[in-house]
Amino acid sequence: MEQPAVKGQKVAFVKPHVREEWIGRIYTTLCILFLIVTIVAIVYFVASKGLSTFFKNGVNIGDLLTGLKWNPEGEPPLFGALPFIFGSFSTSLLAALIAAPLGCCAAIFMTQIMPGVGRKYLQPVIELLAGIPSVVYGFVGLSVIVPMLRAIFPGQGIGIMAGSLVLAVMILPTITTIATDALAALPSGLKEGSFALGATRWQTIYRIVIPTTLPALLTGVVLGMSRAFGEALAVQMVIGNAPHIPRSLFESTSTLTSAITLSMGNTITGSAHNNALWSLALILLTMTFIFVFIVRVLERRNHR
Amino acid sequence: MQTNGLKVNELSVFYGEKEAVKKVSLSFAPQTVTALIGPSGCGKSTFLRSLNRMNDTIGGVRTTGEIWIDGVNINDPSIDVVELRQQIGMVWQRPNPFHKSIYENIAFGPRYHGIKKKKQLDEIVEDSLRKAALWEETKDRLHNSALALSGGQQQRLCIARSIAVKPKIILMDEPASALDPVSTSKIEELIAELKKEYCIVIVTHNMQQAARVSDRTAFFYMGKLIEADSTEVMFTNPTQKETDDYISGRFG
């Protein structure tokens, strides 16, 4: 009498849950497969196009990375991308240099000096900056920053300085938000411990708060830099787009992204010029991977 | 370094309108351990934190009354809290070592009080770690991260850190409640040792611990000081009914 009852019970217990378990499992697996396939496809596509410049069109990889002249339609065609690489690095580095102290200090103010007002009003306002379309930044840069620079410094106002200033404002919310989260996550006991030893608020901030959260603060700066590195439109509007290495911060130059967006529509698929633009995209992609890698290393240091 | 102890006169602490500590008067003699006991929310931790003005760091807290150390009322707004906190050290419930090396954790305080010479700092570090019974365990790895230490070691490091600025009084807010029994007994041994030099005030939820480590016990309830006497009297023959009920576990 007892045995069949136990058996029946077991079956009734197990079956529906096994099904649920499998439905969930299959669904989530499909989602992650879709993501992986997309990423692999993009990387493969960019790499195959970008590398065919060297293998099909016979351009020397060293010439592309170090050449100073970019004239793909000329006779002979020249594929020197160093001005673009230099432009991208210099604008994003300078933008990070301008925005990092601003963002980190704003975060310190919002979390340490006036946490009430900071978290409630200031942070949403700064996050609002992230939602403004980049064309608006470019337009403001073109109509405010460029004329201002032209009035103060020699040259036309366009160039690395204008691009960096626009980018600095664009990446400020990224840096500030990440820095604010990092500072807010600081164990409160650390600050109290420092106060109890007789340290003042400033001593506590620069001796305890900043060193403890430094890896996370740097994560914000690197993420901001990678955003600046990939930004095309706003920079393109204020940088001038002349393909050569400038001798000052106020001289027209170009970046990898602006070179791609300006010429991609005017080239024929499969031509050397088109492939060379894909090579520039490949450089961008590689740099993004390097930025992500740096962030991972910093985060690991942070959790130790 | 000796002190006449600490004398608190009609101390009240307000969180906004709420009176968390109500006109408490209590004295702490040098070279004794005083345990503050009472149910959660009775104001004993708030009282402890007001003794080194840590409540100043929270907005909306008002403290009235007098706290006398060696003839100075430290609850006066004109008192330099930085100077004051050098004289009154504090240890928390959760060990809170800085994310620095063991050496730097100890040297942090003395550096701010003007000690720059490496030799002098070395001496302070060794002396403080010895007093906190941590020297033997850490002398070979002073420059390793303090976060690699166990919870009990971290807590002793925090005690060593507060000793390093040469305080007269040490406040402890449930210093062993986050630790295992072995680490707890080490902390208790340490308190008995430190008593020889310092005036110690300890908040604890553990009745046995209060009975073991303290010379005097003060019972707080609903923000009021109900009774304070020698620990022996408090645990065997308290005069107030609430004290008796709490100590014998017949509470709430």
Side-chain angles (χ1 to χ4, degrees):
Chain A
M1 280 295 273
E2 264 178 36
Q3 266 185 339
V6 170
K7 254 187 192 169
Q9 208 179 14
K10 252 187 187 168
V11 171
F13 254 114
V14 171
K15 266 220 163 143
H17 291 287
V18 168
R19 236 190 95 188
E20 268 169 36
E21 207 51 37
W22 274 101
I23 289 172
R25 211 185 155 126
I26 290 168
Y27 179 68
T28 48
T29 311
L30 282 178
C31 289
I32 194 70
L33 273 178
F34 178 74
L35 271 176
I36 291 170
V37 167
T38 312
I39 292 165
V40 169
I42 291 173
V43 173
Y44 173 77
F45 187 66
V46 173
S48 68
K49 286 272 200 177
L51 290 174
S52 65
T53 316
F54 314 118
F55 297 121
K56 259 201 222 142
N57 306 100
V59 177
N60 189 320
I61 191 162
D63 287 350
L64 186 113
L65 289 176
T66 59
L68 293 171
K69 281 259 171 346
W70 177 262
N71 190 4
E73 305 290 335
E75 207 45 65
L78 291 168
F79 297 99
L82 190 62
F84 303 134
I85 298 171
F86 176 82
S88 279
F89 271 103
S90 53
T91 46
S92 46
L93 264 174
L94 194 57
L97 277 182
I98 296 167
L102 283 174
C104 292
C105 291
I108 286 170
F109 181 86
M110 289 194 296
T111 54
Q112 315 292 322
I113 316 267
M114 287 188 80
V117 179
R119 297 289 273 184
K120 210 169 166 194
Y121 301 107
L122 298 179
Q123 201 175 6
V125 170
I126 287 175
E127 277 165 11
L128 208 65
L129 286 177
I132 298 173
S134 58
V135 66
V136 175
Y137 281 108
F139 197 59
V140 171
L142 199 59
S143 50
V144 178
I145 293 177
V146 170
M148 190 190 79
L149 291 176
R150 184 164 46 212
I152 302 172
F153 299 100
Q156 292 300 304
I158 50 178
I160 289 176
M161 195 63 200
S164 304
L165 284 173
V166 169
L167 283 175
V169 180
M170 287 185 76
I171 66 176
L172 199 55
T174 311
I175 295 178
T176 311
T177 307
I178 292 173
T180 307
D181 291 346
L183 292 170
L186 183 83
S188 66
L190 291 183
K191 261 164 41 187
E192 288 197 317
S194 172
F195 288 143
L197 290 171
T200 62
R201 185 153 74 176
W202 280 114
Q203 289 168 338
T204 303
I205 287 173
Y206 76 74
R207 285 287 180 175
I208 299 295
V209 176
I210 294 178
T212 310
T213 52
L214 194 61
L217 297 181
L218 285 176
T219 302
V221 174
V222 173
L223 279 177
M225 244 184 90
S226 81
R227 188 172 171 217
F229 204 78
E231 172 57 35
L233 195 59
V235 186
Q236 183 194 314
M237 287 168 80
V238 298
I239 204 158
N241 302 305
H244 69 89
I245 294 182
R247 272 157 299 169
S248 86
L249 294 174
F250 311 100
E251 203 175 295
S252 175
T253 181
S254 190
T255 63
L256 290 165
T257 46
S258 63
I260 296 171
T261 48
L262 277 179
S263 320
M264 198 53 116
N266 309 324
T267 57
I268 305 149
T269 311
S271 69
H273 189 180
N274 187 276
N275 283 342
L277 293 177
W278 282 108
S279 302
L280 301 187
L282 184 61
I283 296 171
L284 275 174
L285 193 66
T286 315
M287 278 314 301
T288 311
F289 284 151
I290 292 172
F291 282 129
V292 171
F293 179 74
I294 294 171
V295 167
R296 297 304 287 240
V297 170
L298 285 173
E299 272 177 356
R300 207 176 313 149
R301 271 196 58 189
N302 200 19
H303 288 302
R304 206 169 47 192
Chain B
M1 236 212 277
Q2 279 305 332
T3 170
N4 301 322
L6 191 66
K7 194 164 158 45
V8 178
N9 203 4
E10 300 219 322
L11 187 83
S12 296
V13 182
F14 299 85
Y15 288 114
E17 288 303 302
K18 192 179 170 286
E19 193 173 11
V21 175
K22 297 169 186 167
K23 296 207 167 163
V24 172
S25 299
L26 192 57
S27 299
F28 304 95
Q31 292 172 296
T32 54
V33 178
T34 307
L36 309 182
I37 60 169
S40 295
C42 68
K44 58 192 188 306
S45 284
T46 305
F47 175 77
L48 188 81
R49 287 169 58 91
S50 62
L51 296 183
N52 67 342
R53 303 268 299 268
M54 280 307 283
N55 284 333
D56 289 15
T57 58
I58 312 169
V61 178
R62 197 159 54 84
T63 312
T64 62
E66 294 161 347
I67 305 165
W68 294 92
I69 298 177
D70 299 339
V72 182
N73 175 18
I74 59 159
N75 200 30
D76 192 293
S78 66
I79 288 286
D80 178 14
V81 290
V82 170
E83 189 78 12
L84 159 70
R85 286 175 190 154
Q86 187 187 349
Q87 297 185 26
I88 307 183
M90 188 159 192
V91 177
W92 279 266
Q93 181 177 6
R94 290 180 59 82
N96 57 352
F98 302 136
H99 296 209
K100 297 172 183 287
S101 69
I102 294 166
Y103 183 96
E104 284 302 320
N105 260 279
I106 312 259
F108 180 85
R111 279 219 180 97
Y112 279 124
H113 299 292
I115 297 167
K116 297 269 188 279
K117 282 190 192 128
K118 187 163 183 312
K119 197 161 166 263
Q120 216 176 340
L121 282 172
D122 287 348
E123 276 169 20
I124 291 173
V125 169
E126 178 172 348
D127 188 48
S128 308
L129 284 172
R130 275 191 197 284
K131 279 185 184 160
L134 197 59
W135 175 251
E136 289 304 318
E137 292 157 68
T138 56
K139 63 181 177 190
D140 300 324
R141 45 177 179 151
L142 286 177
H143 295 283
N144 290 9
S145 170
L147 299 183
L149 297 173
S150 74
Q153 287 172 328
Q154 287 186 3
Q155 192 63 302
R156 276 180 282 150
L157 178 70
C158 292
I159 294 173
R161 189 173 73 185
S162 64
I163 296 173
V165 293
K166 306 206 186 311
K168 295 168 181 167
I169 297 155
I170 302 176
L171 310 175
M172 297 186 177
D173 193 353
E174 299 180 49
S177 67
L179 305 177
D180 65 82
V182 176
S183 304
T184 301
S185 71
K186 278 192 179 159
I187 298 282
E188 287 178 8
E189 283 166 27
L190 182 56
I191 292 171
E193 194 60 35
L194 291 174
K195 188 174 85 172
K196 293 171 189 162
E197 277 185 61
Y198 305 94
C199 167
I200 296 175
V201 185
I202 175 173
V203 164
T204 179
H205 273 293
N206 183 330
M207 290 301 118
Q208 287 81 22
Q209 185 171 64
R212 280 193 301 263
V213 301
S214 70
D215 305 302
R216 286 175 62 80
T217 299
F219 174 61
F220 281 70
Y221 182 54
M222 308 268 280
K224 285 196 190 112
L225 174 69
I226 303 295
E227 183 173 7
D229 210 328
S230 82
T231 301
E232 208 185 319
V233 173
M234 284 287 276
F235 276 83
T236 53
N237 195 15
T239 53
Q240 302 293 320
K241 191 177 172 301
E242 285 109 322
T243 315
D244 192 29
D245 284 352
Y246 184 70
I247 284 168
S248 55
R250 259 177 287 144
F251 219 77

